[in-house]
Amino acid sequence: MQLSLFARLVYVISVVSIALSNPTGEHQCRLATPQPSLFPLLDEISIDILHALFANGSLTSVNLVHAYIERIQEINPSLRAVGEINPDALDIARALDVERSLGRVRG
């Protein structure tokens, strides 16, 4: 079974969340095959965890934008909540990733 980008991103965020909540590693936790419904959604992830993922290179702005676009495409046909996605979103994300690689972190 191939997971969507959104599901893979949620899985990575979940693993990092577990690691950050137990920095000593005393109680190692092994996760089975990721099941997207068992993991928190991106809208429930804290800013601190997102910052940690950016800092350790597990997440890029481009990955995050792709995940949100994919999620919008999954649920927007029924919700009709998003009228338009910024056509420059990926270009902006790429520029932010370059800035981060050069040591400039906006926050």
Side-chain angles (χ1 to χ4, degrees), residues 16-102:
V16 171
S17 298
I18 290 168
L20 289 176
S21 68
N22 186 13
T24 63
E26 290 175 8
H27 302 286
Q28 296 284 329
C29 177
R30 291 186 182 203
L31 298 176
T33 304
Q35 301 295 320
S37 61
L38 300 178
F39 297 105
L41 298 175
L42 279 175
D43 61 353
E44 297 173 1
I45 297 300
S46 72
I47 296 297
D48 291 335
I49 292 172
L50 287 173
H51 280 281
L53 291 169
F54 280 119
N56 74 16
S58 297
L59 180 65
T60 65
S61 298
V62 170
N63 295 137
L64 188 60
V65 169
H66 274 296
Y68 276 117
I69 289 172
E70 185 174 307
R71 184 66 175 149
I72 289 167
Q73 290 171 342
E74 284 177 14
I75 63 172
N76 202 49
S78 60
L79 294 180
R80 298 183 183 163
V82 178
E84 182 178 354
I85 296 172
N86 183 344
D88 299 324
L90 287 170
D91 291 334
I92 294 166
R94 281 186 202 95
L96 291 170
D97 285 339
V98 169
E99 281 185 20
R100 179 174 288 279
S101 73
L102 297 173

